[in-house]
Amino acid sequence: MNTLCLYVFWNLHEETPGKYDFTGNKDIAAFCKLAQKHGMYVIVRPGPYVCAEWEMGGLPWWLLKNDSVQLRTLDPFYMQHVGAFMHEVGKQLQDLQITRGGNIIMVQVENEYGSYGNDKQYLRAIEDIYRECGVDVTLFTSDGACWWMLGGGTLPDHLCVANFGSHPVENFAMLEKFRPNQPHMCGEYWCGWFDHWYDGHHTREADELAGLFRDMIDSGASLNFYMFHG
């Protein structure tokens, strides 16, 4: 385990429009430098939407003050603020990429977008913003391991990885069918699952979890243990 995956939570760093905070516990650059000090790489997942496990997927509340905003689309208001925020992220992290002597090896485009939509122009616009912000390491997408999610959330010229918590053989077979002859990676190996109201508490047996982990490593795949902490 030699790499840390780092989310960048927009609503944590820009609580008020135009006022950016990357200090203290929000200092993503210091986090990456600390990882490098201890011999670890970093994969950055800056969004702008990062995950359903975080409030509004990391999108700041004040976007909703615009009644007509269309989140995760090419809506001009939305994209203007995405671009402004990502340029601030770029200032923090661009010199920490492995191409410049740092330890950031990959950057993810959006997050599981195939579960939400299928707008390649939007994904390309996010990619373009990343490049404008100085990102020059490998870009990748991360989606559920089914045809329509991979179809909606990927870009043909970038690595795509699949997210799942079990059945790695079947899921990697789907990934290989969708995108042959690329490295296999489980972008989120789910060590647990969320609970629904009135349902039982979800738990997993450690032996099962470790066994599937070992199977993926033995097959030559990479994986992100989700969540190791958080």
Side-chain angles (χ1 to χ4, degrees), residues 43-126:
I43 293 173
V44 180
R45 310 174 75 188
Y49 178 94
V50 290
C51 67
E53 293 88 340
W54 188 264
E55 182 176 326
M56 210 166 105
L59 302 178
W61 65 272
W62 46 262
L63 290 173
L64 300 180
K65 297 292 283 185
N66 181 336
D67 292 339
S68 65
V69 66
Q70 298 293 315
L71 304 176
R72 303 178 81 185
T73 72
L74 291 172
D75 174 80
F77 173 82
Y78 175 72
M79 293 302 293
Q80 174 190 348
H81 287 287
V82 169
F85 174 66
M86 288 302 170
H87 275 82
E88 295 300 319
V89 174
K91 292 176 186 177
Q92 298 292 319
L93 299 182
Q94 61 180 332
D95 290 335
L96 303 181
Q97 298 173 94
I98 198 167
T99 49
R100 309 183 192 190
N103 61 329
I104 297 173
I105 56 173
M106 289 166 48
V107 173
Q108 181 179 302
V109 179
E110 244 273 359
N111 184 73
E112 294 186 325
Y113 186 73
S115 300
Y116 179 81
N118 186 352
D119 186 344
K120 302 302 184 185
Q121 288 183 305
Y122 168 71
L123 293 177
R124 286 295 184 195
I126 298 298

Side-chain angles (χ1 to χ4, degrees), residues 15-196:
E15 295 182 12
T16 302
K19 295 183 179 180
Y20 305 102
D21 186 358
F22 292 95
T23 62
N25 198 44
K26 305 177 183 182
D27 194 336
I28 53 178
F31 181 89
C32 293
K33 291 174 182 176
L34 184 62
Q36 187 172 29
K37 175 184 176 182
H38 291 285
M40 302 187 79
Y41 300 106
V42 171
I43 293 173
V44 180
R45 310 174 75 188
Y49 178 94
V50 290
C51 67
E53 293 88 340
W54 188 264
E55 182 176 326
M56 210 166 105
L59 302 178
W61 65 272
W62 46 262
L63 290 173
L64 300 180
K65 297 292 283 185
N66 181 336
D67 292 339
S68 65
V69 66
Q70 298 293 315
L71 304 176
R72 303 178 81 185
T73 72
L74 291 172
D75 174 80
F77 173 82
Y78 175 72
M79 293 302 293
Q80 174 190 348
H81 287 287
V82 169
F85 174 66
M86 288 302 170
H87 275 82
E88 295 300 319
V89 174
K91 292 176 186 177
Q92 298 292 319
L93 299 182
Q94 61 180 332
D95 290 335
L96 303 181
Q97 298 173 94
I98 198 167
T99 49
R100 309 183 192 190
N103 61 329
I104 297 173
I105 56 173
M106 289 166 48
V107 173
Q108 181 179 302
V109 179
E110 244 273 359
N111 184 73
E112 294 186 325
Y113 186 73
S115 300
Y116 179 81
N118 186 352
D119 186 344
K120 302 302 184 185
Q121 288 183 305
Y122 168 71
L123 293 177
R124 286 295 184 195
I126 298 298
E127 174 192 1
D128 291 344
I129 289 173
Y130 286 3
R131 295 306 192 195
E132 291 167 6
C133 297
V135 175
D136 54 17
V137 293
T138 296
L139 295 179
F140 73 104
T141 56
S142 183
D143 288 281
C146 70
W147 200 265
W148 65 271
M149 290 181 182
L150 291 168
T154 58
L155 290 169
D157 46 343
H158 295 305
L159 174 71
C160 65
V161 306
N163 302 338
F164 51 83
S166 59
H167 305 291
V169 173
E170 295 87 344
N171 285 308
F172 281 138
M174 172 62 74
L175 187 63
E176 179 67 23
K177 182 179 179 181
F178 179 82
R179 186 71 60 78
N181 303 317
Q182 64 150 45
H184 287 176
M185 178 175 175
C186 178
E188 295 179 4
Y189 175 43
W190 303 319
C191 57
W193 196 246
F194 51 79
D195 293 338
H196 293 93

